[in-house]
Amino acid sequence: MPKKNKAALYIILVLIAILILFPILVKNQYWARMLILIFLHIILASGLWLIMTTGQVSFCHAAFMAIGAYTSTLVVMNLGWSFWLALPLAGVVSAVVALLFGLVVLRLKGAYFFLVTFAFGEVVRLAFTNVREDVLGGPQGIMAVPPPTPLGPINFIPGQSTPFYYLAFALMLIALFVMYRLSRSRIVSTFWAIHEADDLAESIGVPLMKNKVIAFCVGCFFAGIAGAFYAHYYMHVSPDSFTVTESINILSWAVIGGLGSWVGPIIGATVITLIGEYVRQFGMYDVLISGAIMIAIILFMPGGLFSLVPRFRERINKTTLKKLRQNGVT
Amino acid sequence: MSPESFLQAVVNGLSMGMIYAVVALGLTFVFSLMGIINFAHAALYMLGAYIMYYFFARWELPYIVALIAAVVITGALGLVIERYFYRRARSVLLSSIIIAIAINTVMEHGALLGFGFDPRKVPSIFTGVIQISDNTFSVERLAIGGIGLALVLAFVFFVRYTKMGRAMRAVSQDYDAARLTGANVSLIYSLAMGIGCALAGAAGALMSSMFSVDPYMGVPYLFKAFVIIIVGGLGSIPGSIVAGLILGQIDSIFITWLGNIAQMFGFILVILILVFRPRGLMGTGRA
């Protein structure tokens, strides 16, 4: 294993260890809740990142989150399923809807795909608002969604964030592991090839549709999982939680973090969520300030926050090189 | 629905559709030249309505002065946004989308802080109704639809028959060839953005007397404009006008007839159009 990767591996292991020990060492509920939110945002941003590696900008990620949230809520509340069955089911239902929708629209590119996903997001939101109000609850949504059923000795009690913290953390690790494995594999290289030059990729025999559909389904699967977690964590689903604004937020986490690597969405979701929390102290000026920060990041760092990492590494390499030269090594 | 109310709904739909077309024309024009989906359109629409409120309702200047002020100020703001923000992020669809959304958010919240939370009312200068047999038509709707039509015609004339309009069409067809023949692309981009935003501002100013004015009033019209520019064909000017009128009819007839669920029709129409005819009703480009 090259030295660089070994260092990265240590950093990741230390981070995981810190996050596992966090609720034991820090009894602060506020920070636990904050981290749960960040984990949730990372799952969403990573899923969208995978979709965007194929060059497709999806504008309806929150709609798939809504599909997952409603699926899980309905099977738990109306059919009496266990949460632990409903959670994967939510992901699968989202992925199946993504498959059907994707097969039809994924051949569209650029602004066309962006606008058709926008329309789909609105259709889903309006459908949850207006269709079958007796089952879906209409604009108010569904209240009093039960928390997850106990898993062995672990009880999920609303208000106690530690079990939810570990659940969100585990889900995030699964999502990130999938993203990491995919980004090391041939398939994401293929995605990038489609992203960079789809005509060329197709001409050498890359099946465009198949790859785009796979990326779209996997991304939306995790959106569905995140939606199910959201429903049972906040114990409430309503169409208002999954609007275009939420899709915009997910998109901005991924883009601001940087699309070049699977690490980008992690950085983006973390930084933007923390900024959003920090600027709340400015009262009514909060959105103004966070909007200005977003504009500045895009204008001055077109590759996203992650593009700082190679730049930083380059600077370190340069300084070490300089030192070595001064010592007469090279 | 009785035939009388049906005719009324059609006429109201035509008048609304004209305004939808004005909003969508600005959006599709900016897209066809620069490839940017200008989310700030919603904020400029809102700003146009606020300018109408301050100039006409608050400071009691003549209606026409307020309307011209709305066009000029939103147009100038469009130039500024293009020069300092879009120009730097133009090459990448994603960056430009995020910048445009962020600018829209900042402007909306700026309006919330500057103009206050409470919705404002702008008095109407067009009052009364016209009675034709059993049908009642509001003069206001007819007048606003008429002004909308005049704006659309002026815009079409500009793009078709002036030198600058020709240069703009050239840039949207072939960027490199237009530059080679000496078109000043930077100037054209700034002007196109200015004109696009001025159309949004004008539409907002016209609509201010029909609906209440608040910081988030522009967003539904931005969404309608998305529907229109896709249905009409991205970048197509006649397509936007036709699709604007169609959406006006959908909104007017189906919502009075079926209620809220009819809001979905426009978006479903978008998906159908993109699946079966991606270049839209009258678009020429490839999807």
Side-chain angles (χ1 to χ4, degrees), chain A residues 52 57 59 101 104-105 107-116 118-120 122-123 125-127 130-131 199 244 248 251-252 255-256 259 284-292 294-295 298-300 302, chain B residues 31 37 39 84-85 88-89 93-99 101-103 105-107 109-110 112-113 117 222-223 226-227 229-230 233-234 260-261 263-264 267-268 270-271 274-276 278-279 285-287:
Chain A
M52 287 198 290
V57 184
F59 206 45
F101 179 61
V104 181
V105 299
R107 64 195 164 84
L108 299 168
K109 291 185 220 164
Y112 289 87
F113 183 74
F114 178 76
L115 289 170
V116 79
F118 156 78
F120 181 74
E122 281 298 282
V123 169
R125 185 181 66 82
L126 289 167
N130 294 313
V131 177
D199 293 338
V244 176
I248 290 175
L251 187 64
S252 66
V255 174
I256 283 175
L259 295 177
M284 280 165 46
Y285 293 89
D286 57 350
V287 183
L288 215 59
I289 297 168
S290 58
M294 269 164 58
I295 295 176
I298 293 287
L299 282 185
F300 299 111
Chain B
F31 179 82
I37 300 174
F39 274 81
Y84 291 101
F85 297 99
R88 309 184 55 154
L93 177 72
L94 252 179
S95 304
S96 65
I97 286 173
I98 300 279
I99 289 247
I101 291 172
I103 289 175
T105 315
V106 166
M107 283 178 70
H109 276 259
L112 195 66
L113 297 172
F117 292 92
L222 179 71
F223 288 2
F226 281 164
V227 171
I229 64 177
I230 285 288
L234 266 185
N260 268 338
I261 202 159
Q263 288 174 336
M264 281 164 74
F267 298 111
I268 292 172
V270 165
I271 296 174
L274 279 176
V275 169
F276 294 108
R279 60 199 171 90
R286 297 188 311 129

Side-chain angles (χ1 to χ4, degrees), chain B residues 69-220:
Chain B
V71 170
V72 171
I73 295 173
T74 50
L77 206 60
L79 294 179
V80 173
I81 294 173
E82 196 280 330
R83 176 67 189 80
Y84 291 101
F85 297 99
Y86 289 178
R87 189 168 292 184
R88 309 184 55 154
R90 202 163 52 210
S91 47
V92 191
L93 177 72
L94 252 179
S95 304
S96 65
I97 286 173
I98 300 279
I99 289 247
I101 291 172
I103 289 175
N104 188 52
T105 315
V106 166
M107 283 178 70
E108 276 176 356
H109 276 259
L112 195 66
L113 297 172
F115 305 141
F117 292 92
D118 355 304
R120 311 284 189 182
K121 278 267 169 220
V122 176
S124 178
I125 57 160
F126 309 106
T127 48
V129 289
I130 299 175
Q131 194 83 26
I132 299 171
S133 69
D134 278 345
N135 302 299
T136 352
F137 300 111
S138 132
V139 174
E140 182 180 31
R141 293 220 166 200
L142 294 176
I144 284 169
I147 300 174
L149 178 65
L151 280 173
V152 168
L153 290 178
F155 175 76
V156 170
F157 176 83
F158 169 77
V159 174
R160 288 256 147 207
Y161 298 110
T162 63
K163 200 174 171 211
M164 185 44 98
R166 207 156 48 230
M168 284 175 172
R169 276 186 292 145
V171 172
S172 79
Q173 278 165 13
D174 191 332
Y175 176 88
D176 292 320
R179 272 191 73 161
L180 279 175
T181 53
N184 184 346
V185 178
S186 297
L187 177 71
I188 285 174
Y189 278 171
S190 295
L191 265 184
M193 180 71 185
I195 291 170
C197 293
L199 286 173
L206 288 174
M207 293 288 259
S208 62
S209 61
M210 280 205 270
F211 301 98
S212 66
V213 179
D214 69 72
Y216 301 103
M217 66 185 289
V219 178

